Amino acid sequence: MIRKKYGAGAVKFSFWFMEFRKVVQLRNDGKSFEEIKRINQEENLFGARTPARAQQIYSTVSARVRSLDESFYPIFVHGDLMTQKQIALIAALAHDTLFFDFVYHVIREKLLIGSNEFTESDVRIFFKNVQIQDEKAAKWTEATIRRLGIAYKTQLFEAGVTDKGKEVRKIYKPLFDRELKNWLLDHDMEPMIRALTGENG
């Protein structure tokens, strides 16, 4: 897995599952990323409110799709809804190192000690530690950190990994389809399994 520098761009991101599914389906049908980009510009592929938002969605979703080896396409296309959501989440984690670390150090550590919930305090502690360790993150405002926390919690809820509790959120440990789990192991993505389940591959 490739680690990237921390960034706060996720304050503008959503889970964008339906958009992710559209791009993967088009890629699986043989469309290039450039062709999909053009379709989005000409036909507003994602039904975005403005051209700028349409471009932001395409840019983020296509980057998430590109973050995984394209051999995942058939697993996604033929998978059930839960498998598709798991893949979309894994792509989001692969694209955003801070999001991956959030899941690894908050969700995984709770599962390791046998807990199935996390609190706002856990979220605050995570970001406080990030700011201590990263010069760029140290300059983020409280508002930015709050928005990042909301963005990540929302994506995890939409992916089916947590509920939507206000102060305490329940964690729903995912069960990976055998084909997806083998694909992750074959592509050196065991850390994703550990992050989301608390287990080794």
Side-chain angles (χ1 to χ4, degrees), residues 16-31:
W16 287 322
F17 171 68
M18 297 302 294
E19 293 83 352
F20 184 90
R21 183 155 66 178
K22 280 184 180 178
V23 172
V24 174
Q25 287 173 335
L26 288 169
R27 286 288 293 147
N28 193 61
D29 290 341
K31 292 280 193 296

Side-chain angles (χ1 to χ4, degrees), residues 14-115:
S14 297
F15 188 43
W16 287 322
F17 171 68
M18 297 302 294
E19 293 83 352
F20 184 90
R21 183 155 66 178
K22 280 184 180 178
V23 172
V24 174
Q25 287 173 335
L26 288 169
R27 286 288 293 147
N28 193 61
D29 290 341
K31 292 280 193 296
S32 68
F33 282 108
E34 278 304 312
E35 288 175 306
I36 299 170
K37 183 178 181 179
R38 190 184 73 250
I39 293 169
N40 183 46
Q41 291 170 337
E42 295 174 354
E43 303 176 19
N44 192 12
L45 182 62
F46 309 122
R49 296 187 306 273
T50 65
R53 187 62 168 171
Q55 171 55 34
Q56 182 184 57
I57 294 171
Y58 170 76
S59 177
T60 304
V61 170
S62 63
R64 289 175 180 175
V65 174
R66 290 177 195 260
S67 70
L68 303 180
D69 186 273
E70 62 183 28
S71 59
F72 85 85
Y73 297 166
I75 301 173
F76 183 92
V77 170
H78 300 296
D80 60 19
L81 180 62
M82 185 50 65
T83 296
Q84 290 185 341
K85 285 190 173 185
Q86 289 169 351
I87 292 173
L89 176 60
I90 287 164
L93 296 174
H95 172 247
D96 182 351
T97 297
L98 181 62
F99 190 16
F100 173 81
D101 285 353
F102 178 85
V103 173
Y104 200 87
H105 293 291
V106 178
I107 303 298
R108 176 177 179 266
E109 289 187 10
K110 289 296 181 179
L111 293 171
L112 279 175
I113 62 171
S115 175

Side-chain angles (χ1 to χ4, degrees), residues 133-145:
Q133 297 166 20
D134 187 274
E135 287 183 14
K136 185 177 179 181
K139 298 175 183 177
W140 293 341
T141 65
E142 281 297 316
T144 295
I145 290 170

